[in-house]
Amino acid sequence: MDDNSENALRLRRSFAGPPGLVWAIWTRPELIRHWFGSSFGFRAHDVAVDLRPGGNWSLRNVNGAITEHVCGTYHEVQPARRLVYSYHFRGTDFFSVISVELSPEGEGTRVDFLQTGFPDAQARSDHARGWPNALKVMGEALLAMHGVGTIWPKLPEKTHLDGVARDLQAARARLFEEPAE
């Protein structure tokens, strides 16, 4: 498909955290579960990540009686710089490709997001509503952290990720008026 308004979604956001921390939020299963599907009331479960070229990722996305199985394969993995992966809803003909570029921006990170291959304008429209909210949850969690530029100059250790997960959950609850888990 050509790169046109019906099958491509481009977003650019700035985050108050270093690329290593933004990378962790994007790639660690215990953090993905807090932001994935957030704008439509879904909760990600059973998040699996094999973060290497050719490795697979998957999750079960649940909203009440609705369950979606989303999966894909990593094509490019350049830690804290670039991530390219396929994105597929199992049991459907929906296949797309997502690329995420992370660039240092002062003490923060600029994220350039591109999703291509939408089967129609409606699928693009749905994702154009969803991704900005997921990015907003990520951004709100990062803003809630004090001194993030000096606390996490590299990928955070597990003890710090527990706090990040709590911040992501709190940001999601604030943005979407959900009860805390």
Side-chain angles (χ1 to χ4, degrees):
M1 292 184 131
D2 293 330
D3 185 8
N4 65 44
S5 62
E6 287 191 10
N7 69 21
L9 173 63
R10 292 179 191 279
L11 301 169
R12 175 177 278 178
R13 296 291 184 274
S14 294
F15 291 96
L21 182 56
V22 176
W23 177 264
I25 289 171
W26 207 276
T27 60
R28 302 274 180 102
E30 65 270 29
L31 303 178
I32 293 169
R33 66 179 289 270
H34 293 290
W35 59 261
F36 195 93
S38 55
S39 61
F40 295 102
F42 281 89
R43 291 277 182 186
H45 299 271
D46 308 323
V47 180
V49 171
D50 181 6
L51 191 60
R52 63 182 175 82
N56 294 317
W57 70 275
S58 63
L59 58 81
R60 183 173 51 90
N61 216 18
V62 179
N63 182 357
I66 301 169
T67 298
E68 301 172 335
H69 295 276
V70 190
C71 61
T73 301
Y74 292 106
H75 303 288
E76 290 183 51
V77 178
Q78 298 175 30
R81 293 187 49 228
R82 181 171 166 79
L83 185 65
V84 178
Y85 58 97
S86 59
Y87 185 93
H88 171 61
F89 287 95
R90 282 189 197 145
T92 75
D93 292 334
F94 185 100
F95 290 91
S96 66
V97 175
I98 291 174
S99 66
V100 181
E101 301 271 345
L102 305 170
S103 306
E105 187 175 69
E107 291 194 25
T109 303
R110 185 185 76 230
V111 172
D112 289 297
F113 172 95
L114 173 63
Q115 185 173 8
T116 60
F118 294 103
D120 54 46
Q122 183 61 48
R124 185 205 177 278
S125 177
D126 289 346
H127 283 79
R129 283 190 335 230
W131 279 112
N133 286 315
L135 295 171
K136 189 171 185 176
V137 169
M138 292 178 203
E140 288 289 320
L142 288 165
L143 287 173
M145 297 176 196
H146 297 287
V148 70
T150 56
I151 291 174
W152 289 296
K154 60 181 183 167
L155 284 176
E157 298 300 322
K158 174 68 175 152
T159 56
H160 296 303
L161 290 179
D162 293 339
V164 174
R166 283 191 302 274
D167 289 340
L168 284 166
Q169 178 60 31
R172 179 183 174 130
R174 282 192 310 273
L175 290 170
F176 303 108
E177 299 178 9
E178 296 178 350
E181 285 187 346

